[in-house]
Amino acid sequence: HHLLIMESLGGDTLWRDRFLGQHSALIYYILLLVMWLVSPALAYNFSELIEAHAVDTYGQFAEQNKDKLRLLPAPRIARAYYESDDLYLFDEFQTARPRSSRRPRINTLYDVFCAIRDDEGEHVATMKECQMEDSMMSDVDKVNMGTVGVLAYFAVNVWLTRLASVAGLDALEIDSVDAGEILGEDGLIAAALRLFSFLPFL
């Protein structure tokens, strides 16, 4: 919705702005994905830094232009997002406060930028929460080891599938268990691995 708000203010008028915005988002997504594969904690920390920068940027802009912004009406999309009955997951990302405890009042463009700044602050709190000792990410080393374990599991199964294929085996028996359906070309593991085909070792 932040993007929709900026577009309603003319942020998508120029082709180069649309190109830069869309491709920057794609690069950011790929970068975070790679970081997550290396270390989930690293990905969360990087996101926290980006969101903290957004808090500072929106806050500075709102403060430096508050007199002008208070004279301008809020875009319809901003009022619809912050004040309508359908808040579209608004409460879900407010992880550092009780549900439904934040309901911004939007009257002017200044209110819009302050609300966006506060949204980014909530994102920062969420990223911090994911790294805290009492969160689901309480033991970062275990999360990292779990990630490595899953990737290793997939890699081993690909290797076994290719080994069975090279050996001309239709099925692979381990302890008298026919694993052909699981490790075969159309097996469950092969199907799951196709989701991760972008990884170099697959």
Side-chain angles (χ1 to χ4, degrees):
H1 277 82
H2 293 176
L3 177 60
L4 293 175
I5 292 170
M6 296 307 156
E7 288 179 349
S8 72
L9 296 173
D12 65 342
T13 304
L14 299 177
W15 177 87
R16 67 171 182 267
D17 291 337
R18 295 195 303 274
F19 181 88
L20 181 62
Q22 292 169 1
H23 288 80
S24 295
L26 182 62
I27 292 170
Y28 178 63
Y29 171 76
I30 293 171
L31 180 61
L32 275 185
L33 185 60
V34 171
M35 292 175 93
W36 174 264
L37 293 174
V38 173
S39 168
L42 179 65
Y44 281 130
N45 186 259
F46 182 73
S47 292
E48 179 188 344
L49 295 175
I50 295 294
E51 302 292 359
H53 178 68
V55 172
D56 295 338
T57 302
Y58 282 114
Q60 182 180 6
F61 177 80
E63 186 61 29
Q64 290 178 348
N65 299 279
K66 60 183 176 183
D67 293 334
K68 294 179 182 177
L69 294 174
R70 282 176 172 154
L71 299 176
L72 298 172
R76 185 182 307 166
I77 185 69
R79 297 192 69 140
Y81 175 54
Y82 288 109
E83 296 183 341
S84 69
D85 293 332
D86 180 13
L87 292 174
Y88 190 72
L89 303 179
F90 182 78
D91 288 321
E92 277 68 14
F93 75 80
Q94 316 280 332
T95 57
R97 63 173 65 239
R99 187 179 178 85
S100 303
S101 65
R102 180 171 170 243
R103 290 293 183 267
R105 302 305 304 169
I106 305 298
N107 295 308
T108 68
L109 199 53
Y110 177 75
D111 298 329
V112 172
F113 279 99
C114 287
I116 293 175
R117 174 203 63 204
D118 295 342
D119 287 350
E120 302 297 348
E122 292 295 333
H123 297 164
V124 171
T126 299
M127 295 302 104
K128 284 183 178 177
E129 182 71 21
C130 290
Q131 301 171 73
M132 288 173 62
E133 292 183 2
D134 58 349
S135 73
M136 291 187 299
M137 306 289 290
S138 57
D139 192 332
V140 175
D141 290 334
K142 285 183 180 178
V143 173
N144 291 339
M145 288 302 296
T147 304
V148 170
V150 169
L151 291 174
Y153 174 78
F154 283 139
V156 167
N157 278 288
V158 168
W159 179 76
L160 287 174
T161 301
R162 290 181 181 168
L163 180 64
S165 176
V166 168
L169 301 175
D170 292 329
L172 183 64
E173 289 192 2
I174 302 173
D175 293 332
S176 300
V177 176
D178 184 355
E181 291 185 1
I182 298 176
L183 297 176
E185 201 171 281
D186 298 319
L188 179 63
I189 291 174
L193 282 170
R194 283 194 277 278
L195 297 174
F196 297 91
S197 59
F198 59 89
L199 294 175
F201 57 83
L202 299 180

